[in-house]
Amino acid sequence: MKIAAIIGSSRVDGNTQQLTEMALEGLEYTPIILKEKQITPIDDLRHADGGFQPVADDYDRVIDMVLEHDILIFATPVYWYGMSGLMKNFVDRWSQSLRDSRFEFKRKMSQKKAYVVTCGGDQPKIKALPLIQQFQHIFEFIGMSFQEYIIGTANAPHDILKDEQAIAEAKRWNETFSSLK
Amino acid sequence: MKIAAIIGSSRVDGNTQQLTEMALEGLEYTPIILKEKQITPIDDLRHADGGFQPVADDYDRVIDMVLEHDILIFATPVYWYGMSGLMKNFVDRWSQSLRDSRFEFKRKMSQKKAYVVTCGGDQPKIKALPLIQQFQHIFEFIGMSFQEYIIGTANAPHDILKDEQAIAEAKRWNETFSSLK
Amino acid sequence: MKIAAIIGSSRVDGNTQQLTEMALEGLEYTPIILKEKQITPIDDLRHADGGFQPVADDYDRVIDMVLEHDILIFATPVYWYGMSGLMKNFVDRWSQSLRDSRFEFKRKMSQKKAYVVTCGGDQPKIKALPLIQQFQHIFEFIGMSFQEYIIGTANAPHDILKDEQAIAEAKRWNETFSSLK
Amino acid sequence: MKIAAIIGSSRVDGNTQQLTEMALEGLEYTPIILKEKQITPIDDLRHADGGFQPVADDYDRVIDMVLEHDILIFATPVYWYGMSGLMKNFVDRWSQSLRDSRFEFKRKMSQKKAYVVTCGGDQPKIKALPLIQQFQHIFEFIGMSFQEYIIGTANAPHDILKDEQAIAEAKRWNETFSSLK
């Protein structure tokens, strides 16, 4: 079981990343830091003559990496009660991959297991629930099984260390991941 | 009452834009087409020394325009059960404006009235509800009053013309807007 | 196409009922007024020896009526941001019907079309969205197709007459229902 | 700090009750078993001459008990993706208490801390989120602070013992409650 953590934070070493790293401590995994990639917003050419056009950015390489893994952890801070724009731009581009015959995108994605880690400062355990529901719709569409999510309460750097519930969850995930072959 | 329509589509003349234009037919308003602007994802420097840094893109000019209006229509297609990455990048940057003393951002935004128009192809009247809830949290945080929303069902170009409910709503909005001084 | 309106109001001629009647004006339909029925809360005997026991109330007769119709309109006021207890007690009892060999409950219910009408006083177009999502889960479980919903804003008697959007929707439904054979 | 657990299960010793008891192990608390009480659905007389009328059931005594406590744990199974009809009938009657001068209901309720425990069998960690959102709206209206919630996955009796996450949460609550004076 190969694990990738897709990190949508715009801040280095933020709470979401820290919490994700707790869940993955001691394990081999591929961090995919979206902030370090150039991924442009989708240009919706679904209905244009010729369809989508190749885009000169890092998206295809990111998808190649993603597709090599079995477990995908979507780690995004709660920005304005949703996923970060970095993460959203990445997901929006899936519409292009769905139509890209090189990838067998949907078939391959449907075999993966999805996890979500998200941290926010304003009552996220309530106000990030629409985000969890959105991820559920996303995963359902693409056929990926939505395993679990952790919502952490954190605002300033390292706040997450005070959220006992989130930490306990991350440790439990760590045990689960460790027990997988 | 000055009206701005903030358009988050990545497709020119898409269903969301078409529906928004129905709501605004015959009225004076400012279209703000995010696709035509360069707005980079937020670089979260809230907790960094020196805080946020000036960004050489169109965001500040867009905010200047936005702040001159009383009614803001957020028009975004439903992409992956949420707002488009273009729209999300724009909203994410509000975190920067909140800390930018030039703007009095929160005070001014809290005097505006918000409307949402969104169109999607996969049962949006159910599956876009988390997006509406997200907008509610956004507007509540910034203090803007969330007036109304229209969710249209549309996938291929001009599909929206078949959604009688959405069209009736847009016409009703048009009457409301027309009656405002 | 036979239509039943299942009314969960505890108030006679409340806004929800009035709005439902607008949608059904001039049409033949069966009103099922839950307030006039004796339906006791479910006694969860799924895991008990012998399973569910017959209950001496009106529930079975109500289900018999329900099953004779093709279109079911679930009409409930928003009470405390959810369906009324009267409506909830009725739905809870479906767990019993699912295990009652007399009914072929799930197979028959899965052939019906569901509509929801609900009215509330405290920002229902936002705060009743969890109720719509709940109905979606309910209908999905039972296999019924969730056609449409109307959320009306109304508190005091006849307030609904001031909600132009809800009235326009009800009239559109009326046209749709009228055109069905 | 006096604790009451308001149990909405219709099954004796169900998973929700068991999980709630784990959270309260070794602590003094008042169990309020709604199934053992006679609480009739609300008769909405808000707009009738004379307003609400006294109801000859157990509701007033239950409210008297509830009001004596500082921490309220709302424990309900997920029935049809919402709270049980038993719990809903109880909450619906709050509309009556709000207008009952004997109680100072809203003022007293607004001083309490609310917790929610709920267990369901069909992906409750996703599909019970509308229920959590509903409770949030309820508590916000009444002015109660919504502290935390646990969603357990359980269907057959004692299934909850297999939900490590829920058990860890219950134990953490137990420590929190134990540390309160």
Side-chain angles (χ1 to χ4, degrees), chain A residues 10-11 35 42-44 46 79-81 83 85 88-89 91-92 95 134 137 141 155, chain B residues 10 35 42-44 46 79-81 83 85 88-89 91-92 95 134 137 141 155:
Chain A
S10 83
R11 182 149 61 85
K35 188 180 168 52
I42 194 163
D43 189 15
D44 181 2
R46 282 176 298 159
Y79 282 170
W80 293 95
Y81 312 103
M83 67 180 79
K88 190 66 194 348
N89 278 340
V91 173
D92 282 0
S95 297
Q134 179 187 2
H137 290 314
F141 181 89
N155 195 4
Chain B
S10 85
K35 189 181 168 50
I42 194 163
D43 188 15
D44 179 3
R46 280 176 299 159
Y79 281 171
W80 294 94
Y81 311 102
M83 66 180 78
K88 190 65 196 343
N89 278 340
V91 173
D92 282 0
S95 296
Q134 180 187 0
H137 289 314
F141 181 88
N155 195 5

mmCIF file of all heavy atoms in Angstrom, chain A residues 10-11 35 42-44 46 79-81 83 85 88-89 91-92 95 134 137 141 155, chain B residues 10 35 42-44 46 79-81 83 85 88-89 91-92 95 134 137 141 155:
data_model
loop_
_atom_site.group_PDB
_atom_site.id
_atom_site.type_symbol
_atom_site.label_atom_id
_atom_site.label_comp_id
_atom_site.label_asym_id
_atom_site.label_seq_id
_atom_site.Cartn_x
_atom_site.Cartn_y
_atom_site.Cartn_z
ATOM 1 N N SER A 10 -0.910 26.782 1.999
ATOM 2 C CA SER A 10 -0.074 27.795 1.376
ATOM 3 C C SER A 10 1.005 28.229 2.369
ATOM 4 O O SER A 10 1.840 29.046 2.065
ATOM 5 C CB SER A 10 -0.904 28.984 0.945
ATOM 6 O OG SER A 10 -1.109 29.862 2.009
ATOM 7 N N ARG A 11 0.951 27.656 3.575
ATOM 8 C CA ARG A 11 1.936 27.999 4.588
ATOM 9 C C ARG A 11 2.808 26.780 4.815
ATOM 10 O O ARG A 11 2.307 25.662 4.912
ATOM 11 C CB ARG A 11 1.209 28.378 5.890
ATOM 12 C CG ARG A 11 2.107 28.793 7.012
ATOM 13 C CD ARG A 11 1.416 29.827 7.908
ATOM 14 N NE ARG A 11 0.193 29.337 8.541
ATOM 15 C CZ ARG A 11 0.172 28.649 9.677
ATOM 16 N NH1 ARG A 11 1.281 28.341 10.307
ATOM 17 N NH2 ARG A 11 -0.975 28.258 10.201
ATOM 18 N N LYS A 35 1.839 23.710 -3.091
ATOM 19 C CA LYS A 35 2.412 25.059 -3.140
ATOM 20 C C LYS A 35 3.704 25.097 -3.964
ATOM 21 O O LYS A 35 4.061 26.133 -4.525
ATOM 22 C CB LYS A 35 2.712 25.522 -1.712
ATOM 23 C CG LYS A 35 3.126 26.971 -1.608
ATOM 24 C CD LYS A 35 3.412 27.336 -0.171
ATOM 25 C CE LYS A 35 4.096 28.692 -0.094
ATOM 26 N NZ LYS A 35 3.361 29.733 -0.835
ATOM 27 N N ILE A 42 -8.286 25.515 -14.025
ATOM 28 C CA ILE A 42 -8.755 24.841 -15.226
ATOM 29 C C ILE A 42 -9.285 25.851 -16.248
ATOM 30 O O ILE A 42 -9.861 26.875 -15.884
ATOM 31 C CB ILE A 42 -9.846 23.795 -14.899
ATOM 32 C CG1 ILE A 42 -10.049 22.883 -16.116
ATOM 33 C CG2 ILE A 42 -11.150 24.469 -14.474
ATOM 34 C CD1 ILE A 42 -10.766 21.603 -15.784
ATOM 35 N N ASP A 43 -9.048 25.554 -17.479
ATOM 36 C CA ASP A 43 -9.658 26.295 -18.580
ATOM 37 C C ASP A 43 -10.715 25.352 -19.145
ATOM 38 O O ASP A 43 -10.385 24.356 -19.788
ATOM 39 C CB ASP A 43 -8.578 26.618 -19.630
ATOM 40 C CG ASP A 43 -9.095 27.567 -20.691
ATOM 41 O OD1 ASP A 43 -10.157 28.190 -20.485
ATOM 42 O OD2 ASP A 43 -8.424 27.686 -21.727
ATOM 43 N N ASP A 44 -11.951 25.621 -18.847
ATOM 44 C CA ASP A 44 -13.017 24.654 -19.140
ATOM 45 C C ASP A 44 -13.300 24.599 -20.639
ATOM 46 O O ASP A 44 -14.066 25.400 -21.167
ATOM 47 C CB ASP A 44 -14.278 25.020 -18.358
ATOM 48 C CG ASP A 44 -15.403 24.029 -18.627
ATOM 49 O OD1 ASP A 44 -15.195 23.053 -19.375
ATOM 50 O OD2 ASP A 44 -16.502 24.221 -18.066
ATOM 51 N N ARG A 46 -14.424 21.743 -22.070
ATOM 52 C CA ARG A 46 -15.201 20.524 -22.302
ATOM 53 C C ARG A 46 -16.045 20.620 -23.558
ATOM 54 O O ARG A 46 -16.248 19.637 -24.271
ATOM 55 C CB ARG A 46 -16.147 20.267 -21.121
ATOM 56 C CG ARG A 46 -15.474 19.676 -19.909
ATOM 57 C CD ARG A 46 -16.482 19.571 -18.778
ATOM 58 N NE ARG A 46 -16.971 20.902 -18.405
ATOM 59 C CZ ARG A 46 -18.113 21.137 -17.758
ATOM 60 N NH1 ARG A 46 -18.898 20.128 -17.411
ATOM 61 N NH2 ARG A 46 -18.471 22.365 -17.436
ATOM 62 N N TYR A 79 -9.760 27.112 4.575
ATOM 63 C CA TYR A 79 -9.694 28.525 4.201
ATOM 64 C C TYR A 79 -11.112 28.945 3.833
ATOM 65 O O TYR A 79 -11.711 28.388 2.919
ATOM 66 C CB TYR A 79 -8.808 28.729 2.977
ATOM 67 C CG TYR A 79 -7.322 28.698 3.209
ATOM 68 C CD1 TYR A 79 -6.453 28.667 2.113
ATOM 69 C CD2 TYR A 79 -6.763 28.720 4.477
ATOM 70 C CE1 TYR A 79 -5.080 28.652 2.286
ATOM 71 C CE2 TYR A 79 -5.379 28.700 4.658
ATOM 72 C CZ TYR A 79 -4.544 28.667 3.550
ATOM 73 O OH TYR A 79 -3.193 28.643 3.709
ATOM 74 N N TRP A 80 -11.619 29.901 4.509
ATOM 75 C CA TRP A 80 -12.959 30.401 4.196
ATOM 76 C C TRP A 80 -13.959 29.251 4.076
ATOM 77 O O TRP A 80 -14.721 29.151 3.140
ATOM 78 C CB TRP A 80 -12.934 31.279 2.937
ATOM 79 C CG TRP A 80 -12.162 32.541 3.223
ATOM 80 C CD1 TRP A 80 -10.842 32.772 2.961
ATOM 81 C CD2 TRP A 80 -12.633 33.716 3.889
ATOM 82 N NE1 TRP A 80 -10.472 34.009 3.412
ATOM 83 C CE2 TRP A 80 -11.564 34.616 3.984
ATOM 84 C CE3 TRP A 80 -13.876 34.101 4.430
ATOM 85 C CZ2 TRP A 80 -11.673 35.869 4.587
ATOM 86 C CZ3 TRP A 80 -13.988 35.352 5.011
ATOM 87 C CH2 TRP A 80 -12.894 36.216 5.083
ATOM 88 N N TYR A 81 -13.863 28.353 5.056
ATOM 89 C CA TYR A 81 -14.840 27.272 5.205
ATOM 90 C C TYR A 81 -14.829 26.277 4.048
ATOM 91 O O TYR A 81 -15.808 25.563 3.828
ATOM 92 C CB TYR A 81 -16.244 27.850 5.466
ATOM 93 C CG TYR A 81 -16.179 28.898 6.554
ATOM 94 C CD1 TYR A 81 -16.217 30.261 6.269
ATOM 95 C CD2 TYR A 81 -15.992 28.521 7.876
ATOM 96 C CE1 TYR A 81 -16.079 31.215 7.266
ATOM 97 C CE2 TYR A 81 -15.852 29.472 8.880
ATOM 98 C CZ TYR A 81 -15.893 30.811 8.558
ATOM 99 O OH TYR A 81 -15.747 31.748 9.545
ATOM 100 N N MET A 83 -11.868 24.033 1.096
ATOM 101 C CA MET A 83 -10.480 23.678 0.817
ATOM 102 C C MET A 83 -9.749 24.904 0.262
ATOM 103 O O MET A 83 -10.377 25.848 -0.241
ATOM 104 C CB MET A 83 -10.398 22.500 -0.156
ATOM 105 C CG MET A 83 -10.882 22.766 -1.558
ATOM 106 S SD MET A 83 -10.744 21.281 -2.629
ATOM 107 C CE MET A 83 -12.194 20.337 -2.108
ATOM 108 N N GLY A 85 -7.593 27.321 -2.203
ATOM 109 C CA GLY A 85 -7.611 27.509 -3.654
ATOM 110 C C GLY A 85 -6.585 26.628 -4.355
ATOM 111 O O GLY A 85 -6.842 26.110 -5.446
ATOM 112 N N LYS A 88 -8.156 23.346 -4.565
ATOM 113 C CA LYS A 88 -9.315 23.382 -5.464
ATOM 114 C C LYS A 88 -8.870 23.427 -6.914
ATOM 115 O O LYS A 88 -9.436 22.721 -7.764
ATOM 116 C CB LYS A 88 -10.237 24.555 -5.135
ATOM 117 C CG LYS A 88 -11.575 24.493 -5.872
ATOM 118 C CD LYS A 88 -12.380 23.307 -5.411
ATOM 119 C CE LYS A 88 -13.576 22.901 -6.228
ATOM 120 N NZ LYS A 88 -14.096 23.739 -7.262
ATOM 121 N N ASN A 89 -7.856 24.228 -7.203
ATOM 122 C CA ASN A 89 -7.347 24.251 -8.582
ATOM 123 C C ASN A 89 -6.894 22.860 -9.020
ATOM 124 O O ASN A 89 -7.130 22.451 -10.160
ATOM 125 C CB ASN A 89 -6.156 25.215 -8.691
ATOM 126 C CG ASN A 89 -6.609 26.654 -8.845
ATOM 127 O OD1 ASN A 89 -7.740 26.931 -9.233
ATOM 128 N ND2 ASN A 89 -5.712 27.575 -8.517
ATOM 129 N N VAL A 91 -7.999 19.915 -7.867
ATOM 130 C CA VAL A 91 -9.164 19.040 -8.067
ATOM 131 C C VAL A 91 -9.930 19.448 -9.332
ATOM 132 O O VAL A 91 -10.382 18.588 -10.096
ATOM 133 C CB VAL A 91 -10.088 19.051 -6.824
ATOM 134 C CG1 VAL A 91 -11.371 18.275 -7.096
ATOM 135 C CG2 VAL A 91 -9.369 18.460 -5.606
ATOM 136 N N ASP A 92 -10.062 20.758 -9.559
ATOM 137 C CA ASP A 92 -10.791 21.209 -10.762
ATOM 138 C C ASP A 92 -10.185 20.615 -12.038
ATOM 139 O O ASP A 92 -10.912 20.294 -12.979
ATOM 140 C CB ASP A 92 -10.750 22.744 -10.864
ATOM 141 C CG ASP A 92 -11.739 23.428 -9.924
ATOM 142 O OD1 ASP A 92 -12.455 22.722 -9.187
ATOM 143 O OD2 ASP A 92 -11.780 24.675 -9.915
ATOM 144 N N SER A 95 -11.246 17.366 -14.116
ATOM 145 C CA SER A 95 -12.195 17.352 -15.242
ATOM 146 C C SER A 95 -11.462 17.162 -16.558
ATOM 147 O O SER A 95 -11.991 16.571 -17.507
ATOM 148 C CB SER A 95 -12.985 18.671 -15.288
ATOM 149 O OG SER A 95 -13.754 18.798 -14.119
ATOM 150 N N GLN A 134 -18.613 18.062 0.791
ATOM 151 C CA GLN A 134 -18.114 18.271 -0.578
ATOM 152 C C GLN A 134 -17.135 17.162 -0.964
ATOM 153 O O GLN A 134 -17.230 16.594 -2.060
ATOM 154 C CB GLN A 134 -17.432 19.647 -0.682
ATOM 155 C CG GLN A 134 -16.879 19.926 -2.074
ATOM 156 C CD GLN A 134 -16.049 21.197 -2.141
ATOM 157 O OE1 GLN A 134 -15.840 21.874 -1.149
ATOM 158 N NE2 GLN A 134 -15.572 21.516 -3.332
ATOM 159 N N HIS A 137 -18.973 14.069 -1.908
ATOM 160 C CA HIS A 137 -19.512 14.110 -3.274
ATOM 161 C C HIS A 137 -18.389 13.902 -4.305
ATOM 162 O O HIS A 137 -18.576 13.217 -5.305
ATOM 163 C CB HIS A 137 -20.222 15.442 -3.530
ATOM 164 C CG HIS A 137 -21.511 15.603 -2.787
ATOM 165 N ND1 HIS A 137 -22.471 14.611 -2.733
ATOM 166 C CD2 HIS A 137 -22.021 16.635 -2.066
ATOM 167 C CE1 HIS A 137 -23.503 15.037 -2.030
ATOM 168 N NE2 HIS A 137 -23.259 16.250 -1.607
ATOM 169 N N PHE A 141 -18.237 10.679 -6.785
ATOM 170 C CA PHE A 141 -18.244 10.841 -8.246
ATOM 171 C C PHE A 141 -17.111 10.047 -8.886
ATOM 172 O O PHE A 141 -17.294 9.375 -9.903
ATOM 173 C CB PHE A 141 -18.118 12.326 -8.620
ATOM 174 C CG PHE A 141 -18.156 12.542 -10.106
ATOM 175 C CD1 PHE A 141 -19.362 12.726 -10.757
ATOM 176 C CD2 PHE A 141 -16.993 12.523 -10.869
ATOM 177 C CE1 PHE A 141 -19.411 12.891 -12.138
ATOM 178 C CE2 PHE A 141 -17.030 12.683 -12.247
ATOM 179 C CZ PHE A 141 -18.238 12.861 -12.881
ATOM 180 N N ASN A 155 -5.238 27.546 14.773
ATOM 181 C CA ASN A 155 -5.151 28.812 14.058
ATOM 182 C C ASN A 155 -3.687 29.244 13.969
ATOM 183 O O ASN A 155 -3.081 29.140 12.920
ATOM 184 C CB ASN A 155 -6.015 29.854 14.766
ATOM 185 C CG ASN A 155 -6.266 31.067 13.901
ATOM 186 O OD1 ASN A 155 -5.863 31.108 12.742
ATOM 187 N ND2 ASN A 155 -6.909 32.067 14.455
ATOM 188 N N SER B 10 -14.643 29.516 -15.683
ATOM 189 C CA SER B 10 -13.446 29.450 -16.511
ATOM 190 C C SER B 10 -13.842 29.324 -17.982
ATOM 191 O O SER B 10 -13.010 29.287 -18.863
ATOM 192 C CB SER B 10 -12.575 28.263 -16.096
ATOM 193 O OG SER B 10 -13.011 27.091 -16.732
ATOM 194 N N LYS B 35 -11.688 35.262 -14.601
ATOM 195 C CA LYS B 35 -10.820 34.596 -15.577
ATOM 196 C C LYS B 35 -9.905 35.583 -16.311
ATOM 197 O O LYS B 35 -8.813 35.213 -16.760
ATOM 198 C CB LYS B 35 -11.688 33.858 -16.599
ATOM 199 C CG LYS B 35 -10.916 32.954 -17.529
ATOM 200 C CD LYS B 35 -11.848 32.293 -18.520
ATOM 201 C CE LYS B 35 -11.059 31.606 -19.635
ATOM 202 N NZ LYS B 35 -9.987 30.740 -19.132
ATOM 203 N N ILE B 42 -3.407 32.581 -2.381
ATOM 204 C CA ILE B 42 -2.862 33.288 -1.224
ATOM 205 C C ILE B 42 -1.567 32.630 -0.757
ATOM 206 O O ILE B 42 -1.408 31.408 -0.833
ATOM 207 C CB ILE B 42 -3.888 33.345 -0.068
ATOM 208 C CG1 ILE B 42 -3.416 34.371 0.966
ATOM 209 C CG2 ILE B 42 -4.095 31.969 0.555
ATOM 210 C CD1 ILE B 42 -4.498 34.800 1.912
ATOM 211 N N ASP B 43 -0.663 33.464 -0.321
ATOM 212 C CA ASP B 43 0.544 32.995 0.352
ATOM 213 C C ASP B 43 0.320 33.343 1.818
ATOM 214 O O ASP B 43 0.351 34.507 2.194
ATOM 215 C CB ASP B 43 1.750 33.752 -0.225
ATOM 216 C CG ASP B 43 3.060 33.179 0.279
ATOM 217 O OD1 ASP B 43 3.057 32.055 0.832
ATOM 218 O OD2 ASP B 43 4.086 33.856 0.115
ATOM 219 N N ASP B 44 0.015 32.348 2.612
ATOM 220 C CA ASP B 44 -0.460 32.607 3.973
ATOM 221 C C ASP B 44 0.687 33.066 4.863
ATOM 222 O O ASP B 44 1.429 32.264 5.419
ATOM 223 C CB ASP B 44 -1.118 31.343 4.542
ATOM 224 C CG ASP B 44 -1.603 31.559 5.967
ATOM 225 O OD1 ASP B 44 -1.491 32.685 6.481
ATOM 226 O OD2 ASP B 44 -2.098 30.589 6.558
ATOM 227 N N ARG B 46 0.134 35.122 7.482
ATOM 228 C CA ARG B 46 -0.484 35.698 8.683
ATOM 229 C C ARG B 46 0.450 35.652 9.886
ATOM 230 O O ARG B 46 0.451 36.533 10.730
ATOM 231 C CB ARG B 46 -1.756 34.911 9.044
ATOM 232 C CG ARG B 46 -2.971 35.281 8.237
ATOM 233 C CD ARG B 46 -4.118 34.376 8.625
ATOM 234 N NE ARG B 46 -3.783 32.966 8.336
ATOM 235 C CZ ARG B 46 -4.372 31.901 8.896
ATOM 236 N NH1 ARG B 46 -5.320 32.072 9.807
ATOM 237 N NH2 ARG B 46 -4.023 30.677 8.569
ATOM 238 N N TYR B 79 -18.064 23.451 -9.613
ATOM 239 C CA TYR B 79 -16.974 22.567 -10.053
ATOM 240 C C TYR B 79 -16.678 21.633 -8.899
ATOM 241 O O TYR B 79 -16.335 22.081 -7.800
ATOM 242 C CB TYR B 79 -15.707 23.377 -10.338
ATOM 243 C CG TYR B 79 -15.658 24.105 -11.649
ATOM 244 C CD1 TYR B 79 -14.624 25.004 -11.894
ATOM 245 C CD2 TYR B 79 -16.590 23.913 -12.653
ATOM 246 C CE1 TYR B 79 -14.533 25.697 -13.091
ATOM 247 C CE2 TYR B 79 -16.511 24.601 -13.850
ATOM 248 C CZ TYR B 79 -15.490 25.490 -14.067
ATOM 249 O OH TYR B 79 -15.414 26.179 -15.247
ATOM 250 N N TRP B 80 -16.777 20.370 -9.124
ATOM 251 C CA TRP B 80 -16.466 19.405 -8.078
ATOM 252 C C TRP B 80 -17.167 19.769 -6.771
ATOM 253 O O TRP B 80 -16.575 19.784 -5.705
ATOM 254 C CB TRP B 80 -14.949 19.245 -7.917
ATOM 255 C CG TRP B 80 -14.375 18.618 -9.166
ATOM 256 C CD1 TRP B 80 -13.841 19.273 -10.241
ATOM 257 C CD2 TRP B 80 -14.354 17.226 -9.498
ATOM 258 N NE1 TRP B 80 -13.482 18.372 -11.214
ATOM 259 C CE2 TRP B 80 -13.781 17.103 -10.788
ATOM 260 C CE3 TRP B 80 -14.769 16.063 -8.830
ATOM 261 C CZ2 TRP B 80 -13.611 15.875 -11.419
ATOM 262 C CZ3 TRP B 80 -14.599 14.843 -9.455
ATOM 263 C CH2 TRP B 80 -14.024 14.760 -10.731
ATOM 264 N N TYR B 81 -18.441 20.105 -6.916
ATOM 265 C CA TYR B 81 -19.320 20.322 -5.766
ATOM 266 C C TYR B 81 -18.906 21.508 -4.910
ATOM 267 O O TYR B 81 -19.278 21.589 -3.732
ATOM 268 C CB TYR B 81 -19.448 19.032 -4.947
ATOM 269 C CG TYR B 81 -19.763 17.865 -5.856
ATOM 270 C CD1 TYR B 81 -18.786 16.950 -6.238
ATOM 271 C CD2 TYR B 81 -21.021 17.728 -6.419
ATOM 272 C CE1 TYR B 81 -19.059 15.924 -7.130
ATOM 273 C CE2 TYR B 81 -21.309 16.702 -7.308
ATOM 274 C CZ TYR B 81 -20.320 15.809 -7.650
ATOM 275 O OH TYR B 81 -20.601 14.800 -8.532
ATOM 276 N N MET B 83 -17.204 25.937 -5.233
ATOM 277 C CA MET B 83 -16.951 27.066 -6.136
ATOM 278 C C MET B 83 -15.712 26.761 -6.969
ATOM 279 O O MET B 83 -14.890 25.914 -6.602
ATOM 280 C CB MET B 83 -16.783 28.363 -5.337
ATOM 281 C CG MET B 83 -15.568 28.434 -4.440
ATOM 282 S SD MET B 83 -15.465 30.022 -3.525
ATOM 283 C CE MET B 83 -16.667 29.735 -2.213
ATOM 284 N N GLY B 85 -12.008 27.070 -8.623
ATOM 285 C CA GLY B 85 -10.721 27.477 -8.069
ATOM 286 C C GLY B 85 -10.451 28.960 -8.274
ATOM 287 O O GLY B 85 -9.888 29.622 -7.404
ATOM 288 N N LYS B 88 -12.327 30.610 -5.642
ATOM 289 C CA LYS B 88 -11.768 30.311 -4.322
ATOM 290 C C LYS B 88 -10.469 31.075 -4.098
ATOM 291 O O LYS B 88 -10.244 31.621 -3.000
ATOM 292 C CB LYS B 88 -11.547 28.802 -4.150
ATOM 293 C CG LYS B 88 -11.196 28.397 -2.712
ATOM 294 C CD LYS B 88 -12.349 28.660 -1.773
ATOM 295 C CE LYS B 88 -12.083 28.679 -0.310
ATOM 296 N NZ LYS B 88 -10.916 28.123 0.225
ATOM 297 N N ASN B 89 -9.633 31.153 -5.121
ATOM 298 C CA ASN B 89 -8.402 31.938 -4.972
ATOM 299 C C ASN B 89 -8.727 33.389 -4.622
ATOM 300 O O ASN B 89 -8.051 34.003 -3.792
ATOM 301 C CB ASN B 89 -7.590 31.907 -6.277
ATOM 302 C CG ASN B 89 -6.768 30.644 -6.389
ATOM 303 O OD1 ASN B 89 -6.495 29.964 -5.404
ATOM 304 N ND2 ASN B 89 -6.372 30.323 -7.608
ATOM 305 N N VAL B 91 -11.465 34.534 -3.070
ATOM 306 C CA VAL B 91 -11.967 34.643 -1.687
ATOM 307 C C VAL B 91 -10.833 34.404 -0.685
ATOM 308 O O VAL B 91 -10.737 35.091 0.341
ATOM 309 C CB VAL B 91 -13.132 33.657 -1.453
ATOM 310 C CG1 VAL B 91 -13.547 33.639 0.012
ATOM 311 C CG2 VAL B 91 -14.338 34.027 -2.329
ATOM 312 N N ASP B 92 -9.966 33.459 -0.979
ATOM 313 C CA ASP B 92 -8.849 33.188 -0.052
ATOM 314 C C ASP B 92 -8.028 34.448 0.217
ATOM 315 O O ASP B 92 -7.537 34.642 1.340
ATOM 316 C CB ASP B 92 -7.917 32.103 -0.632
ATOM 317 C CG ASP B 92 -8.480 30.694 -0.475
ATOM 318 O OD1 ASP B 92 -9.587 30.540 0.085
ATOM 319 O OD2 ASP B 92 -7.814 29.734 -0.911
ATOM 320 N N SER B 95 -8.264 37.088 3.220
ATOM 321 C CA SER B 95 -7.501 37.002 4.474
ATOM 322 C C SER B 95 -6.399 38.056 4.500
ATOM 323 O O SER B 95 -6.026 38.562 5.557
ATOM 324 C CB SER B 95 -6.875 35.609 4.624
ATOM 325 O OG SER B 95 -7.891 34.648 4.737
ATOM 326 N N GLN B 134 -21.321 26.833 2.746
ATOM 327 C CA GLN B 134 -20.008 27.468 2.825
ATOM 328 C C GLN B 134 -20.134 28.981 2.608
ATOM 329 O O GLN B 134 -19.557 29.778 3.370
ATOM 330 C CB GLN B 134 -19.069 26.869 1.776
ATOM 331 C CG GLN B 134 -17.672 27.489 1.809
ATOM 332 C CD GLN B 134 -16.790 27.025 0.666
ATOM 333 O OE1 GLN B 134 -17.208 26.232 -0.178
ATOM 334 N NE2 GLN B 134 -15.562 27.510 0.649
ATOM 335 N N HIS B 137 -21.346 30.645 5.705
ATOM 336 C CA HIS B 137 -20.292 30.842 6.709
ATOM 337 C C HIS B 137 -19.379 32.003 6.301
ATOM 338 O O HIS B 137 -18.965 32.795 7.142
ATOM 339 C CB HIS B 137 -19.477 29.560 6.876
ATOM 340 C CG HIS B 137 -20.218 28.455 7.569
ATOM 341 N ND1 HIS B 137 -20.952 28.645 8.715
ATOM 342 C CD2 HIS B 137 -20.317 27.116 7.301
ATOM 343 C CE1 HIS B 137 -21.481 27.483 9.105
ATOM 344 N NE2 HIS B 137 -21.119 26.553 8.260
ATOM 345 N N PHE B 141 -19.060 35.438 8.450
ATOM 346 C CA PHE B 141 -17.778 35.866 9.010
ATOM 347 C C PHE B 141 -17.493 37.320 8.656
ATOM 348 O O PHE B 141 -17.063 38.120 9.488
ATOM 349 C CB PHE B 141 -16.644 34.978 8.490
ATOM 350 C CG PHE B 141 -15.308 35.363 9.064
ATOM 351 C CD1 PHE B 141 -14.881 34.827 10.261
ATOM 352 C CD2 PHE B 141 -14.497 36.302 8.430
ATOM 353 C CE1 PHE B 141 -13.665 35.204 10.811
ATOM 354 C CE2 PHE B 141 -13.288 36.686 8.976
ATOM 355 C CZ PHE B 141 -12.865 36.139 10.167
ATOM 356 N N ASN B 155 -25.457 21.658 -17.805
ATOM 357 C CA ASN B 155 -24.166 21.045 -18.060
ATOM 358 C C ASN B 155 -23.614 21.563 -19.389
ATOM 359 O O ASN B 155 -22.705 22.369 -19.414
ATOM 360 C CB ASN B 155 -24.316 19.518 -18.035
ATOM 361 C CG ASN B 155 -22.989 18.818 -17.937
ATOM 362 O OD1 ASN B 155 -21.957 19.464 -17.788
ATOM 363 N ND2 ASN B 155 -22.998 17.510 -18.030
#
